[in-house]
Amino acid sequence: MQTAFKVENHLGYRILRWVLIVALLTGILVSTVQVVLDARRVSMELERQANQTMAMVRDAATQSVFSIDDTLAQQVVDGLFALEPIHLARISHPDGDQLGGRLRPLQDRAFRPITDPIFGSIREYRESLHRGTSPDTIYGYLELHYDTAPIAENWLNRALITFGSGIALALILGLVLFVVFHLVLTRPLLRIVQSVRTVDPARPDDRLIAVPDGHRADELGLWVNATNNLLVSIAESQKRHQEAEDRVNRLARYDTLTGLPSRDAFMEDLQHDIVAARESHGTLALTVCGIDDFKSVNEQCGFRTGDTILQTVASRLTANLPSERFSVARLGSDQFVVVEKRLRDGFQAADTAEKILGSFATPINAGNHRISMTATLGIALFPSDADQADRLLQSAEQTMALAKQNGHNHFQFYVASIDQEIRERKQLEKDLSNALANHEFHLVYQPQINLETKRIIGAEALLRWEHPERGMIPPDHFIPVAESNGAIVEIGQWVLDQACWQAARWASEGSPLRIAVNLSAVQLRQESIVDDILNTLKRHSIPAGRLELEVTETSFMTNLTDAVAKLHRLHRAGISIAVDDFGTGYSSLTYLKQMPVQHLKIDKQFIRDLLVNEEDTRIANTIIDLGKSLNLTVVAEGVETAEQEYYLSQRGCKLAQGYFFSKPLPPKEFETFVQTFHARIVENNA
């Protein structure tokens, strides 16, 4: 808190300044009025003196004119010069001839530039001379010129005294007012400020402000009393706020959407349950329940529908699991947790898990939607899997996450090897972060065959990782890791760059093949992805039509509008777009209508059992027919037999790739294969 401030900031100083300014201005104004009035009075007095003087010599002047006595006239004039202000005196005939006259120079005074504009340098008076017997006859004229310097000097002295006294009075009055103001207001205010500084912000009503002596009934006293009332109100408000905060903290223990305990409250209750189980040598089962594909439902049906689903799940769990043995809470997002107490064995926990999965079996009505939901459960047991609350929950969450990687709508128990599996994944992430810099990646190319012409029209670039210690790591192992930690962005750009470089090299050697490159969901979400792709093509001088980007349906489900806009920009640039693994995604036709797609790739899982599994055969036929109806080229992946190749060709599938033709090959081997393949075709047609 500031304890001192500059003098000019003192309220008394500011008041003094304004009082002095106002007093000075008032003194100057009043003095000016007085001086102006005095000037008018002096002017009038000069007029009166002139009239008196002319009246005094009028008879003598008239007699001198009437008798044409120049001696008398001169005596009258000389007598007038006994008066100091007289500048000129003259008696003249009516025709203007002077009978008597005299002139005295004007007084040379320094103040004339000030007084002459006010009074004039000379005052002139003229009077006609008459005799009483013939008042209508003019015998001559009497002229007097007054020098204003003597009278102006007196006036100026009085004006200076008036101004000086007025300003002095204003200064004295200002100082007196300052002293009075300081004693009456400023000093009490400073005492009040000192008293305010002693107030404790945490308890403002403990030490109230003291009222200055003599000010209990005036405005200062009222202000102090009002401030004390405010401090008391603030203290009461703080108490109410603290009470409200306590209520909020209590409410924070429960999820506002479902009414279930929150994660923090659950952890406290779990700690108590573990202590009780440890004392009774009992067993607990902690089950983490994650709703499958909940994010997709939110995006498809809206967040309001998602909230309804969460509320319904919470209601079913609490209704199906009695509170005497079970505790249910919401961990956040789409995850719930169930604690089963007084557990006999793991089989009982498995029965509970089946009951939880069964609660999802009935479709949920949410507005205009009827949605079937499933869940995946991870189960950890106390004390065999973990003996601490946070470790037990972590074990169950990790188990649930791993269970989701192996499918949906099932439960999985925590096993000791999960730590090893997690460590291996972390090590894989670490090795993956260095793989690109260590040149451990390389590309292989699988030829794409036109089933009508039996010629190789392109190749799919596939990424391979040869680990220096673990050897070749399958893409299915490291690609999901790269997508989860974001490394796929840099790796994907490297793949695109290498594939374009290879395509440019083949084109320069007379083999202008189309290159297909996979574009992951993480890459598609990058703001600069379109420019990066186009710049790569430009850098390697590759025509846009020679590049095909393969995207999966899931890659554009998270942000459909943004993904569609980016793919349209790429398509307008001339790049082909293919939907990879078609038929395995979510609501394929819904998305397909909005995408700028030229190719559909039938997933290899449907080709593998083609002509063996009727359902897979029907799916493959449906995709081929769909491609024809939408004027799209259908590409079959995973063709491994001549029968599959023949059937697909007869059904109208245009392109194919798979081990029946060739496995993915390094660039040199791919070049040899292309030459051999085409030479064999020429030989067969010869």
Side-chain angles (χ1 to χ4, degrees), residues 251-267:
L251 291 174
R253 290 178 54 83
Y254 295 90
D255 178 53
T256 56
L257 181 63
T258 62
L260 297 176
S262 64
R263 188 185 189 99
D264 293 339
F266 165 74
M267 291 303 295

Side-chain angles (χ1 to χ4, degrees), residues 306-609:
D307 291 345
T308 302
I309 291 173
L310 294 174
Q311 292 171 337
T312 303
V313 169
S315 299
R316 291 181 180 180
L317 289 176
T318 53
N320 295 335
L321 303 174
S323 58
E324 295 80 9
R325 290 188 54 245
F326 297 92
S327 299
V328 182
R330 183 186 177 196
L331 293 179
S333 185
D334 61 344
Q335 293 188 7
F336 295 84
V337 61
V338 176
V339 175
E340 184 176 4
K341 293 168 278 192
R342 299 189 296 277
L343 189 69
R344 295 192 306 272
D345 50 34
F347 295 101
Q348 187 178 12
D351 293 339
T352 301
E354 291 286 358
K355 183 184 294 186
I356 294 174
L357 293 176
S359 65
F360 288 83
T362 304
I364 297 174
N365 294 319
N368 298 326
H369 304 279
R370 183 173 175 82
I371 302 171
S372 297
M373 301 296 301
T374 60
T376 302
L377 313 183
I379 306 170
L381 303 178
F382 169 87
S384 58
D385 294 332
D387 60 354
Q388 298 295 328
D390 55 348
R391 180 59 181 158
L392 187 64
L393 177 60
Q394 182 183 18
S395 299
E397 287 179 319
Q398 292 172 345
T399 305
M400 188 270 292
L402 287 176
K404 284 204 171 196
Q405 295 181 5
N406 299 323
H408 293 161
N409 196 29
H410 69 286
F411 62 87
Q412 180 175 321
F413 281 87
Y414 176 86
V415 291
S417 61
I418 190 172
D419 286 332
Q420 181 63 30
E421 186 172 348
I422 291 176
R423 282 197 293 271
E424 289 178 356
R425 180 182 173 91
K426 293 296 183 183
Q427 184 62 43
L428 185 65
E429 289 182 356
K430 182 179 179 181
D431 294 343
L432 187 61
S433 64
N434 299 321
L436 194 59
N438 294 338
H439 307 289
E440 297 171 9
F441 289 124
H442 68 272
L443 295 185
V444 293
Y445 299 89
Q446 187 169 39
Q448 294 180 334
I449 313 298
N450 187 313
L451 297 180
E452 294 179 346
T453 63
K454 305 302 182 181
R455 294 190 64 84
I456 299 173
I457 54 91
E460 181 180 3
L462 300 171
L463 181 64
R464 295 294 182 263
W465 180 14
E466 189 169 358
H467 194 279
E469 297 176 359
R470 300 170 57 181
M472 196 67 69
I473 298 179
D476 291 344
H477 288 184
F478 71 85
I479 292 296
V481 176
E483 290 182 332
S484 65
N485 65 11
I488 194 65
V489 174
E490 185 178 6
I491 295 174
Q493 179 58 41
W494 180 86
V495 171
L496 178 65
D497 192 76
Q498 289 294 307
C500 289
W501 177 86
Q502 187 63 63
R505 182 175 175 274
W506 284 338
S508 67
E509 296 174 354
S511 299
L513 298 176
R514 185 180 66 194
I515 293 293
V517 177
N518 287 280
L519 187 65
S520 75
V522 179
Q523 287 178 272
L524 191 56
R525 286 197 293 269
Q526 302 302 307
E527 290 294 329
S528 62
I529 184 61
V530 176
D531 293 333
D532 292 342
I533 293 172
L534 297 180
N535 290 336
T536 302
L537 290 175
K538 183 178 180 181
R539 187 167 59 252
H540 294 286
S541 301
I542 299 293
R546 204 170 292 163
L547 176 65
E548 176 182 298
L549 295 176
E550 297 185 0
V551 296
T552 61
E553 297 166 74
T554 55
S555 66
F556 49 79
M557 282 172 56
T558 54
N559 191 343
L560 179 61
T561 302
D562 181 64
V564 169
K566 291 175 179 176
L567 292 178
H568 272 290
R569 286 182 59 193
L570 293 169
H571 175 60
R572 286 194 297 269
I575 298 172
S576 298
I577 307 297
V579 177
D580 197 14
D581 302 336
F582 186 75
T584 62
Y586 186 89
S587 300
S588 303
L589 294 178
T590 302
Y591 292 111
L592 192 60
K593 293 189 299 182
Q594 304 180 48
M595 306 302 295
V597 177
Q598 291 80 52
H599 308 286
L600 295 181
K601 300 193 73 172
I602 307 175
D603 187 72
K604 57 187 176 183
Q605 73 180 42
F606 303 123
I607 303 300
R608 182 174 55 245
D609 293 331

Side-chain angles (χ1 to χ4, degrees), residues 129-142:
L129 301 176
H130 307 270
R131 285 180 64 86
T133 57
S134 52
D136 296 330
T137 303
I138 299 175
Y139 294 97
Y141 295 94
L142 173 62

Side-chain angles (χ1 to χ4, degrees), residues 16 19-24 27 163-181:
L16 172 62
V19 166
L20 290 178
I21 291 173
V22 173
L24 285 173
F163 272 105
S165 60
I167 293 173
L169 181 61
L171 292 174
I172 294 172
L173 179 61
L175 292 173
V176 170
L177 288 176
F178 170 74
V179 173
V180 172
F181 185 84

Side-chain angles (χ1 to χ4, degrees), residues 84-302:
E84 184 183 9
I86 297 299
H87 166 61
L88 180 145
R90 181 167 56 198
I91 300 174
S92 60
H93 293 288
D95 58 359
D97 292 337
Q98 180 174 303
L99 186 61
R102 185 177 175 182
L103 176 66
R104 181 162 50 192
L106 293 176
Q107 297 181 16
D108 186 16
R109 300 295 181 90
F111 54 79
R112 272 194 176 277
I114 299 175
T115 58
D116 284 352
I118 299 174
F119 299 102
S121 59
I122 299 172
R123 293 288 185 92
E124 299 179 359
Y125 303 94
R126 185 182 185 193
E127 185 175 356
S128 58
L129 301 176
H130 307 270
R131 285 180 64 86
T133 57
S134 52
D136 296 330
T137 303
I138 299 175
Y139 294 97
Y141 295 94
L142 173 62
E143 292 183 52
L144 294 179
H145 289 186
Y146 272 72
D147 184 355
T148 59
I151 190 171
E153 182 178 10
N154 295 332
W155 169 83
L156 185 59
N157 291 333
R158 290 196 302 273
L160 292 175
I161 294 173
T162 301
F163 272 105
S165 60
I167 293 173
L169 181 61
L171 292 174
I172 294 172
L173 179 61
L175 292 173
V176 170
L177 288 176
F178 170 74
V179 173
V180 172
F181 185 84
H182 176 74
L183 294 176
V184 174
L185 185 60
T186 306
R187 188 169 64 177
L189 280 176
L190 289 173
R191 292 177 178 175
I192 292 173
V193 170
Q194 293 296 333
S195 184
V196 169
R197 289 175 176 171
T198 62
V199 174
D200 183 5
R203 291 181 292 181
D205 57 343
D206 281 359
R207 186 176 296 175
L208 299 178
I209 303 172
V211 179
D213 295 336
H215 293 276
R216 190 169 300 277
D218 61 13
E219 289 84 352
L220 287 180
L222 294 176
W223 177 48
V224 170
N225 290 331
T227 303
N228 286 336
N229 292 334
L230 178 62
L231 293 175
V232 173
S233 299
I234 291 174
E236 294 175 355
S237 177
Q238 288 178 342
K239 293 177 182 177
R240 290 193 297 269
H241 179 76
Q242 185 61 45
E243 293 172 357
E245 193 172 54
D246 294 338
R247 288 195 298 271
V248 169
N249 290 333
R250 288 194 297 271
L251 291 174
R253 290 178 54 83
Y254 295 90
D255 178 53
T256 56
L257 181 63
T258 62
L260 297 176
S262 64
R263 188 185 189 99
D264 293 339
F266 165 74
M267 291 303 295
E268 294 178 9
D269 296 337
L270 177 60
Q271 186 63 43
H272 295 315
D273 293 337
I274 287 177
V275 171
R278 186 179 289 118
E279 291 175 352
S280 61
H281 303 286
T283 302
L284 296 176
L286 189 149
T287 303
V288 173
C289 169
I291 301 175
D292 298 327
D293 291 329
F294 184 73
K295 184 177 182 180
S296 298
V297 173
N298 258 341
E299 294 174 349
Q300 291 291 315
C301 304

